[in-house]
Amino acid sequence: MGSRDLRRIYAIDVETWTVVKETDASGIPWAAVSTDGIIRFTIGEDPEDDRYLHSYVPASGFGEDRIACPEFTGSYLSFDGDHLYLSQWYKHRILKLDASGDILRIINIGAEICGHAFVDGLIYVLRGREQPNEDWCIARLDPRQVTPEVQDLARVPFACRSLTFDGANFWTNHRAANEIVSFAQPH
């Protein structure tokens, strides 16, 4: 879990919901995803909040690697088991990246993106509009399709940020309430 304001990341004990480790980040930690034992972060660095991908190994901390996000923009991350996917909020798209951060594919989402996660080969995405009223929904698409059809599944009735799936439930952040929210997979 990360704090934009404090520029720190936290390991949380999921049984007790207590912090078991905290680490300084080199900038603002916008998002994270686990990739085979390595946690990949999108970090915004001063002075322009340029976005970079960083690797973090829980046993040893942040590595020296640093990959510029395309156009120095991007926020949320997901992982399909082989490739990293990076969303660009205002460009309304998710980018499939290779190991060097080069774009392999562009998937248009049709709205602002505030989180995405893979479940059974499908991408679930939080999409909508931040302004004026934080209007969001959870949608699903199949990235194996040549032109994926984005299907809205349910409205999210709060200002959500980020999305992950633990094998049974989705998790997101209700930013305005300073809460973490879990919900069942919509069908």
Side-chain angles (χ1 to χ4, degrees):
M1 183 170 91
S3 170
R4 291 184 329 172
D5 295 336
L6 300 176
R7 297 178 178 216
R8 299 181 71 72
I9 61 165
Y10 302 90
I12 306 295
D13 181 319
V14 296
E15 298 297 323
T16 63
W17 286 95
T18 57
V19 173
V20 294
K21 183 177 181 179
E22 59 182 278
T23 304
D24 287 325
S26 61
I28 298 169
W30 287 104
V33 69
S34 179
T35 60
D36 300 324
I38 297 172
I39 302 171
R40 302 299 303 265
F41 279 89
T42 308
I43 304 279
E45 297 182 7
D46 292 333
E48 302 295 324
D49 192 30
D50 289 339
R51 307 294 170 88
Y52 294 87
L53 300 173
H54 290 264
S55 295
Y56 178 85
V57 176
S60 58
F62 281 104
E64 296 297 318
D65 66 327
R66 177 176 168 252
I67 298 170
C69 293
E71 303 166 339
F72 297 104
T73 65
S75 49
Y76 300 99
L77 297 167
S78 61
F79 184 64
D80 69 1
D82 294 313
H83 294 95
L84 197 63
Y85 288 70
L86 170 74
S87 60
Q88 292 180 318
W89 179 299
Y90 298 110
K91 292 182 179 279
H92 305 176
R93 64 190 193 175
I94 296 175
L95 308 175
K96 179 180 181 179
L97 304 177
D98 69 10
S100 300
D102 293 323
I103 299 171
L104 297 173
R105 181 174 185 201
I106 297 171
I107 302 171
N108 292 309
I109 301 302
E112 296 172 6
I113 302 163
C114 66
H116 51 97
F118 271 88
V119 179
D120 298 327
L122 303 175
I123 298 176
Y124 286 77
V125 59
L126 296 171
R127 72 179 194 143
R129 289 183 14 181
E130 180 178 24
Q131 300 295 328
N133 299 317
E134 295 277 3
D135 185 22
W136 300 103
C137 67
I138 185 165
R140 177 177 58 213
L141 64 105
D142 186 344
R144 297 165 291 207
Q145 294 176 339
V146 174
T147 305
E149 176 187 345
V150 182
Q151 176 189 11
D152 291 334
L153 302 173
R155 186 175 179 285
V156 180
F158 56 86
C160 52
R161 296 296 185 274
S162 201
L163 185 67
T164 193
F165 186 73
D166 68 5
N169 292 300
F170 283 102
W171 295 82
T172 189
N173 174 15
H174 181 183
R175 185 173 72 170
N178 202 25
E179 295 177 337
I180 296 172
V181 178
S182 174
F183 58 95
Q185 182 175 348
H187 299 283

